[in-house]
Amino acid sequence: MKLQQLLVHANTVEDVYCDEHFDTQETCLVLAFGQTTLLEKYPLFQRLRVIYPKATILICSSSGQISNNVRIEEAIVVTAIQFDNARFKALEFENQEDNSIQEMGKIFSSELLTPDLKAVLLLSEGTYVNGSELIQELITQSAGKIPFFGGLAGDEYRFEKTMVGLNADAQPGKIVAVGFYGEGLKFGFASEGGWADFGPEREVTHSKKNVLYRIGDRNALELYKDYLGKYAEELPGSALYFPLSMKENPDSEPVVRTILAIDEHEKSMTFAGNIPLGSRVRFMRGNIDKLIDAAANAALHLRTQLPYRPQLAFLVSCVGRRIVLAERVDEELEFIKQTFGNDTVLFGFYSYGEISPDKNDLGCELHNQTMTIATLFEA
């Protein structure tokens, strides 16, 4: 595997990293992340097509783009991957009809799902998609035997419009899946949140998909405000500091759910993923040091489990973490870089939802408020 990473500014291109034998004229997979405002103001696809004439090019809007410089960049971050023997195949889907997720599942099964499929990268628009339903459909089609990783596109802190594109400039309503094939490919996955539970575990007694109406015998929003105390006056913004921990059943691993909106009339809360009826939830709060430690622990877990040093580490973290960590946000990136070392190239983005396998490295979960890491090595 050979790698190149660029920073694309309005009028210039800056080289961040390039393997000695990387050849821009060869086939490669190009992943580009940038703020929606940049992608709209400076059309990117044709610029990248000139640099990489034979590449498959993916463009995704973000809430912050991560480079191997171990910082969040103002420029668009472009990472090109050239495989030695492995193969990949990319498909684009529309997310505009009620049955589009089911139709996407059928196309995924017929076009990407083969016996030698190793893993799937999923980049989805993050404004209208129900991430939980999207992931569940793919798990169903693959019988839970294929790891998925990636995330939902971001839009800085605006929460207005997210965009994704395959071999074209990014547009709203797009979902892209990339299948990776080859015996020499080795993937590793880890995710950590760092949020602390507080208060008792309670049962969800009324919900509809990603809208939560009642917890136990109380309206969800009223109960949530009681726990927030003085921070309740700052809703919905303060909700990023107090996400929800959810377990679908007593034996499930807990996942974190971010609150996207509140409804004062219905006394309900809308989340970035589904909150099933009968699931168990607890309130959570953040501590900056624990959030940073969690990112470091995710990297350390991978480093100690993998029998090789990965060539590439793809990081997808949550916009909520970036907001909470504020000026210390680069620290979680620095710890990850120190853990993997300079031989591992970092890239990624801050998202509206993270997609990462469970601890068995199969299937996937929709996470919020986590740092997820996917490593790649080609033998």
Side-chain angles (χ1 to χ4, degrees):
M1 182 194 303
K2 295 173 282 291
L3 303 166
Q4 183 180 40
Q5 190 171 98
L6 307 173
L7 298 183
V8 178
H9 302 271
N11 300 309
T12 60
V13 176
E14 177 185 348
D15 195 345
V16 175
Y17 178 93
C18 188
D19 281 332
E20 182 180 356
H21 299 293
F22 188 93
D23 186 352
T24 57
Q25 299 300 309
E26 294 296 324
T27 301
C28 61
L29 175 64
V30 173
L31 303 170
F33 298 97
Q35 301 102 309
T36 302
T37 50
L38 285 179
L39 298 180
E40 290 182 323
K41 189 174 182 180
Y42 304 106
L44 182 63
F45 174 68
Q46 289 302 328
R47 294 181 70 181
L48 295 180
R49 177 55 76 212
V50 171
I51 301 172
Y52 306 106
K54 296 183 179 181
T56 296
I57 299 172
L58 277 69
I59 302 173
C60 181
S61 65
S62 77
S63 296
Q65 38 281 359
I66 299 166
S67 79
N68 198 50
N69 288 332
V70 198
R71 64 171 181 254
I72 300 177
E73 303 285 358
E74 294 295 327
I76 297 168
V77 177
V78 178
T79 304
I81 309 168
Q82 213 163 73
F83 294 102
D84 296 327
N85 297 298
R87 299 178 296 108
F88 63 88
K89 183 178 181 180
L91 295 177
E92 184 180 76
F93 308 90
E94 294 278 351
N95 180 44
Q96 296 182 351
E97 303 293 338
D98 290 340
N99 64 346
S100 62
I101 288 179
Q102 286 70 36
E103 291 300 316
M104 175 184 171
K106 295 176 183 177
I107 297 172
F108 163 80
S109 179
S110 63
E111 297 289 332
L112 293 184
L113 192 57
T114 62
D116 59 341
L117 179 63
K118 291 294 186 182
V120 176
L121 166 63
L122 192 64
L123 295 175
S124 170
E125 66 91 12
T127 308
Y128 303 108
V129 69
N130 185 315
S132 295
E133 292 186 352
L134 170 64
I135 288 171
Q136 186 56 54
E137 176 64 25
L138 296 177
I139 291 174
T140 299
Q141 292 291 341
S142 62
K145 296 180 179 180
I146 301 297
F148 294 82
F149 65 100
L152 308 184
D155 181 27
E156 273 292 311
Y157 308 138
R158 301 189 306 167
F159 297 91
E160 294 176 2
K161 179 168 66 175
T162 60
M163 308 191 300
V164 178
L166 172 63
N167 293 325
D169 283 310
Q171 300 176 16
K174 303 289 186 179
I175 300 172
V176 174
V178 183
F180 296 91
Y181 310 83
E183 289 301 319
L185 285 182
K186 308 295 181 184
F187 288 88
F189 306 100
S191 64
E192 293 284 349
W195 302 84
D197 296 332
F198 69 101
E201 186 177 79
R202 291 180 166 89
E203 182 180 358
V204 173
T205 52
H206 184 197
S207 65
K208 184 177 181 181
K209 294 186 177 181
N210 62 333
V211 181
L212 176 61
Y213 294 95
R214 294 187 72 83
I215 301 174
D217 59 354
R218 299 208 41 200
N219 290 323
L221 183 57
E222 290 180 348
L223 179 62
Y224 188 63
K225 285 183 175 181
D226 285 349
Y227 271 86
L228 261 60
K230 64 179 182 180
Y231 295 101
E233 299 175 1
E234 302 171 20
L235 285 170
S238 60
L240 288 170
Y241 296 87
F242 300 93
L244 203 68
S245 171
M246 183 201 74
K247 295 168 63 176
E248 287 199 31
N249 57 67
D251 298 324
S252 299
E253 288 292 328
V255 294
V256 183
R257 289 284 181 261
T258 294
I259 300 164
L260 298 181
I262 61 173
D263 187 325
E264 292 284 359
H265 177 70
E266 296 286 344
K267 303 299 182 184
S268 66
M269 301 184 290
T270 300
F271 291 81
N274 285 351
I275 307 288
L277 183 67
S279 58
R280 313 290 294 187
V281 296
R282 293 185 71 184
F283 296 118
M284 309 183 80
R285 55 188 167 199
N287 173 283
I288 289 178
D289 289 326
K290 288 184 178 179
L291 294 178
I292 294 171
D293 288 344
N297 289 338
L300 183 61
H301 168 78
L302 270 179
R303 185 69 191 92
T304 55
Q305 295 295 317
L306 297 175
Y308 48 82
R309 188 178 296 275
Q311 294 153 296
L312 191 65
F314 178 45
L315 316 181
V316 182
S317 190
C318 183
V319 60
R321 291 176 65 91
R322 185 182 176 191
I323 292 172
V324 173
L325 291 174
E327 67 273 5
R328 295 185 62 186
V329 67
D330 288 347
E331 289 185 36
E332 65 176 359
L333 308 180
E334 292 168 358
F335 275 111
I336 293 171
K337 186 64 174 180
Q338 290 172 9
T339 300
F340 287 124
N342 291 329
D343 292 336
T344 302
V345 176
L346 303 187
F347 79 111
F349 71 110
Y350 283 82
S351 72
Y352 283 177
E354 305 83 65
I355 299 169
S356 180
D358 59 26
K359 291 183 178 179
N360 296 317
D361 291 349
L362 295 174
C364 61
E365 293 276 3
L366 176 67
H367 302 267
N368 296 127
Q369 303 282 27
T370 59
M371 168 61 78
T372 66
I373 306 173
T375 59
L376 185 54
F377 175 84
E378 185 178 19

